[in-house]
Amino acid sequence: MTAPSSADLQERIAESILISLQETAPKLLSGNFDYNAAGNFMWCCTMALNGLIQKGVITDWAVHAMGHELTAYFGIDHARTLAVIAPSHYRYNFEDKKGKLAQYAERVWGIKEGSVEEKAEAGIRKLEEFFHSLNIQTKLSGYTEDFSGTAERVEKAFTERNWTGLGEYKKLTPQDARKIVEMSY
């Protein structure tokens, strides 16, 4: 979730991965092993992370950086930590991301009504609802009672590593990361 671009094919490949995951993930969690669903899921994962969809577009790995910290501190798998951080990250950076979030809401979730801001917020809500439908929590407190001070730990770690410019515009500071993690409690 960065900003809309002129790289229409790249954007539509990324969006098709998200649509496929919407359809495939519930099948995987149904309790009955579905080889085709598992294959589709793994292909989605491969296509999402093999570097193809980031060619020719700006990228934002700040959610991943914060998510890795939560994994290291609490042993929560990385996918779940992304679900914890992403909604707060998108809300915290709403002004910069609302165009892409609205595009995501329209193309992935079929939300056509409303202003850019309304569609963008609806896209975040649909993302959270999707995670919840898979029994994935979107708050750190859903995984641990020991979350107090986590935001400060993230800020300190990022400061010590001199990670002073995260995100697609390299303007997120360790203090911003602290605020995003706090929103994720």
Side-chain angles (χ1 to χ4, degrees), residues 2 59-62 66 89 92-97 158 163-177 179-180:
T2 55
T59 60
D60 176 5
W61 290 90
M66 289 178 264
H89 178 65
Y92 185 82
N93 295 289
F94 192 79
E95 283 305 309
D96 288 336
K97 294 185 176 293
F158 286 13
W163 290 2
T164 57
L166 295 172
E168 66 269 35
Y169 301 114
K170 308 295 182 224
K171 68 180 190 178
L172 288 180
T173 66
Q175 296 77 27
D176 293 316
K179 292 174 186 172
I180 292 165

Side-chain angles (χ1 to χ4, degrees), residues 116-136:
V116 167
E117 291 80 4
E118 290 167 335
K119 286 187 273 190
E121 179 56 40
I124 297 170
R125 281 194 311 275
K126 291 294 283 185
L127 177 66
E128 289 173 314
E129 290 168 10
F130 176 64
F131 288 144
H132 295 160
S133 77
L134 302 175
N135 201 28
I136 297 172

Side-chain angles (χ1 to χ4, degrees), residues 52-156:
L52 175 68
I53 61 172
Q54 63 182 321
K55 302 300 182 214
V57 296
I58 58 174
T59 60
D60 176 5
W61 290 90
V63 171
H64 284 267
M66 289 178 264
H68 281 300
E69 295 300 309
L70 302 183
T71 296
Y73 299 159
F74 302 108
I76 306 164
D77 74 65
H78 185 52
R80 292 177 190 278
T81 63
L82 298 179
V84 167
I85 295 295
S88 296
H89 178 65
Y90 300 152
R91 288 186 174 106
Y92 185 82
N93 295 289
F94 192 79
E95 283 305 309
D96 288 336
K97 294 185 176 293
K98 66 184 177 185
K100 184 66 154 218
L101 286 162
Q103 176 181 305
Y104 160 76
E106 290 174 6
R107 293 184 181 178
V108 174
W109 295 108
I111 298 168
K112 305 291 186 196
E113 301 297 319
S115 66
V116 167
E117 291 80 4
E118 290 167 335
K119 286 187 273 190
E121 179 56 40
I124 297 170
R125 281 194 311 275
K126 291 294 283 185
L127 177 66
E128 289 173 314
E129 290 168 10
F130 176 64
F131 288 144
H132 295 160
S133 77
L134 302 175
N135 201 28
I136 297 172
Q137 302 299 313
T138 55
K139 293 292 183 185
L140 185 56
S141 57
Y143 294 103
T144 181
E145 295 177 2
D146 191 27
F147 59 84
S148 181
T150 302
E152 291 79 11
R153 287 176 73 187
V154 170
E155 178 184 15
K156 183 176 187 266

Side-chain angles (χ1 to χ4, degrees), residues 21 24 28 35-49:
L21 288 172
T24 301
L28 285 176
Y35 185 83
N36 290 326
N40 284 327
F41 180 78
M42 291 309 299
W43 190 239
C44 286
C45 295
T46 298
M47 294 306 293
L49 289 175

Side-chain angles (χ1 to χ4, degrees), residues 4-25:
S5 74
S6 61
D8 192 56
L9 179 60
Q10 295 306 87
E11 295 205 359
R12 293 205 183 263
I13 291 171
E15 292 156 356
S16 71
I17 292 168
L18 295 170
I19 292 166
S20 292
L21 288 172
Q22 273 177 228
E23 296 169 358
T24 301

